[in-house]
Amino acid sequence: MEKFNPQKNNRLQGDNVDYSVYVGIRAVFIDGAFCQKAITDALKTVKDSRQHPFVTSAFYGILDKSVRLDKIISDLCDKKPSKEATLVLKIGLYYLGYADIPDYAAVNRAVNLSKHVSGVYGGFINAVLKKSIGYEPKFSSALEKFSYDHCAPQWLCKILITDYGETRAASILDAVLPEKTHVRPIAGRLTLSEFNKLKGSCDGTEYGCYCSKRDMERFPEGSVTVQSLSSVRAVHVYKRGIEGGSVLDMCAAPGGKSVYLSELGRFDITACDIYPHKINLMKKYAASTGAKIKTALSDASKPNEKFIDKFDLVIADCPCSGTGTIKTKPDVLINRKPSDIADLTLLQSKMLDCAATYVKTGGVLCYSTCSVLKSENEEMRDKFLSAHSNYAFIDEQKYLPDVDNCDGFYIARFKRES
């Protein structure tokens, strides 16, 4: 099969924003790209930067409404369309349902787009989209309707309802987070007081603010860095009552938490990752902020004898389902399966078992995820305590997107007593 080349359609390049939207969502749904890279590459196909907001809004909107769009396509098509045709239909359905575009124009734009996508037929696109106007889907179960209403796969809805109840599950799934980027001042370059004076009308948080690219110009070059509010808050939880000491960050890439922690106390930090290219990224990021951290290539799921009984604070920020980040990274659930949760909790347990051997007696172990699922959070906390009698529970912190204005995040802290 010929590899898709967004540069090939030169006539459309930069002139057809619908094609740019297609380039973006194709990268996510077919090529498996992360949404940030996908939209960055898609915007490169747009000549007029004034069209960037529309392309970006449509791109993220289609990802966010994907479950709902898939249901309509499934209902209205006798046979499952090709992947490419499905994407063109999603664009058309999104335009019809959520964009400020007249119905006839939305259909025409999708049909015209289909002419430039291999194997997609305009007549089919036209027929399905016209049939969708005014269509009211029917549901085989209350769970399917809940999934449609809240734009999340049924397996996730079922877990969240079990964990939180239907009302709270809906609230979590429907949360609206700031669209702007969260930044914080870099210690030694800008104080929080100076930062707050410069941020002006930007939406402030306790450690930074949400701002646009244009707003970033308010701050001296190199004085602020991008870091999510949940990540910043997590670092403050990690260091509660701790002013310094040796620290191991077991899954540190891209390095934001390690770098920030180095600014907040007298810490000797070793930041690890399993991949060499991510180690290099951490080194570059640390250098750009002036942070002094050490890096080490290490697999967090396998024991490392060099680390045993060496650290006052160990951070196990483990790979997880990412269900706390679906409002800011809607691609997280595109290829996620229910069976992945069991695999992830097994991996988390292995990492915690390793982490438990790295903490000095009297030291602190922090377990964290960007998940909102109790199987990866509270249940993992309880399993760890059952398996490690030499540890005592200190405290925990959970952030949920519907009440905390940030991605979902969980931190549990344990003290090694013997």
Side-chain angles (χ1 to χ4, degrees), residues 16 26 227 250 253 265 345 353:
N16 191 318
R26 189 190 194 284
Q227 188 168 4
M250 294 174 61
T345 54
D353 287 342

Side-chain angles (χ1 to χ4, degrees), residues 235-255:
V235 174
H236 284 270
V237 176
Y238 293 153
K239 71 173 291 291
R240 279 178 185 164
I242 306 172
E243 299 303 323
S246 55
V247 180
L248 178 67
D249 191 348
M250 294 174 61
C251 307

Side-chain angles (χ1 to χ4, degrees), residues 247-275:
V247 180
L248 178 67
D249 191 348
M250 294 174 61
C251 307
K257 296 184 182 72
S258 284
V259 165
Y260 188 38
L261 183 61
S262 74
E263 300 176 19
L264 298 179
R266 300 179 300 277
F267 296 105
D268 178 15
I269 300 172
T270 301
C272 302
D273 198 85
I274 192 174
Y275 299 111

